[in-house]
Amino acid sequence: MKNRLLELLFVRATVGDVTATGRFRRIVLRAEPLRTAGWQPGQQVRVDVGPATALAPLLRTYSVWDRHDDAIELQGLLHGDGPGARWLAAAAPGTEVLLSKPKGDFVLRPAPWHLFVGEETASVAFGAMLRALPAGSTGRAVVECGDDADRLPLPGAVDWTGRGGLLAAVEALTLPAEPGTAYVAGEARDVQAVRRHLVHERGWPRRSVLTKPFWTPGKKGME
């Protein structure tokens, strides 16, 4: 059985709907304690994707796509053959899973306008953040995607670019003279390159560029 301490730190939820968009799997997780759990768009949850008989948790992090009542909606990208991908592929209505309540500081900040830059893994958080922009605030997104089937329905102005074209797409943007707030997430090397461009070539203050490196090839332990 799982460690009892884990039950105190995590919420036991039940998988509801499971639907597919390209390689994405939209998974609805329901639990009564989630009804009162706070959430800010852009935050993430940690999910135990290991077997129920394991003594220690096997945690993977997923951005929250949407949140309502007693439910949290995830959008997980199927890639590779790791434990996270296997859990996403096997998730079915009625399955129980342990997850943390939403947390993280990669969330909207007050700004005259907002720029979102990343690839498919970042588009989940971007969708939630774009939908939550306050009235009168504008947002623009640049998202790298290798297959049109993997394009999530992001609201507002979105520039889609093919694989390897993220930095060039940002460099080609005509942006307002006054810096806004940039949210740059996804593969770590792309995150660093876009941040360097905005800070050193566009003259943005470092504090105006929020970064969230989710992954990089060959490295474990990242978000």
Side-chain angles (χ1 to χ4, degrees):
M1 294 181 64
K2 295 284 187 184
N3 190 315
R4 291 187 180 275
L5 179 60
L6 198 62
E7 296 278 359
L8 299 176
L9 300 176
F10 284 65
V11 172
R12 182 170 294 280
T14 302
V15 176
D17 297 335
V18 179
T19 54
T21 301
R23 292 181 299 152
F24 277 102
R25 293 297 180 270
R26 171 183 168 272
I27 298 178
V28 178
L29 301 174
R30 295 187 177 277
E32 188 59 29
L34 293 177
R35 193 179 298 277
T36 57
W39 173 61
Q40 295 184 66
Q43 289 187 319
Q44 304 166 307
V45 293
R46 300 275 278 171
V47 178
D48 181 7
V49 301
T53 55
L55 296 178
L58 182 58
L59 301 176
R60 291 296 181 268
T61 304
Y62 296 98
S63 295
V64 177
W65 174 250
D66 207 352
R67 165 83 177 84
H68 48 84
D69 297 328
D70 66 342
I72 277 179
E73 294 184 24
L74 308 180
Q75 289 275 13
L77 187 67
L78 278 172
H79 60 95
D81 188 35
R86 291 194 293 271
W87 177 78
L88 289 170
T95 304
E96 289 192 340
V97 63
L98 291 175
L99 74 153
S100 70
K101 293 182 180 180
K103 55 186 177 181
D105 57 4
F106 191 72
V107 296
L108 292 172
R109 306 289 173 86
W113 64 281
H114 306 262
L115 175 65
F116 303 86
V117 182
E119 34 72 46
E120 297 98 325
T121 62
S123 66
V124 182
F126 291 170
M129 297 165 86
L130 284 163
R131 292 193 301 271
L133 287 177
S137 184
T138 60
R140 182 170 186 176
V142 180
V143 181
E144 177 185 301
C145 189
D147 191 323
D148 289 354
D150 297 332
R151 294 184 179 185
L152 293 177
L154 304 183
V158 182
D159 296 325
W160 296 96
T161 185
R163 186 68 70 221
L166 187 63
L167 178 59
V170 176
E171 291 174 337
L173 289 177
T174 300
L175 301 177
E178 179 185 7
T181 295
Y183 310 86
V184 187
E187 199 277 313
R189 294 170 301 183
D190 285 341
V191 169
Q192 293 171 355
V194 171
R195 184 176 185 272
R196 281 196 302 268
H197 169 71
L198 292 175
V199 172
H200 297 296
E201 297 179 34
R202 299 272 189 167
W204 282 39
R206 292 179 181 274
R207 64 180 180 277
S208 296
V209 184
L210 305 183
T211 60
K212 190 70 171 179
F214 288 151
W215 66 281
T216 197
K219 185 174 182 178
K220 298 180 180 180
M222 301 183 71
E223 296 287 6

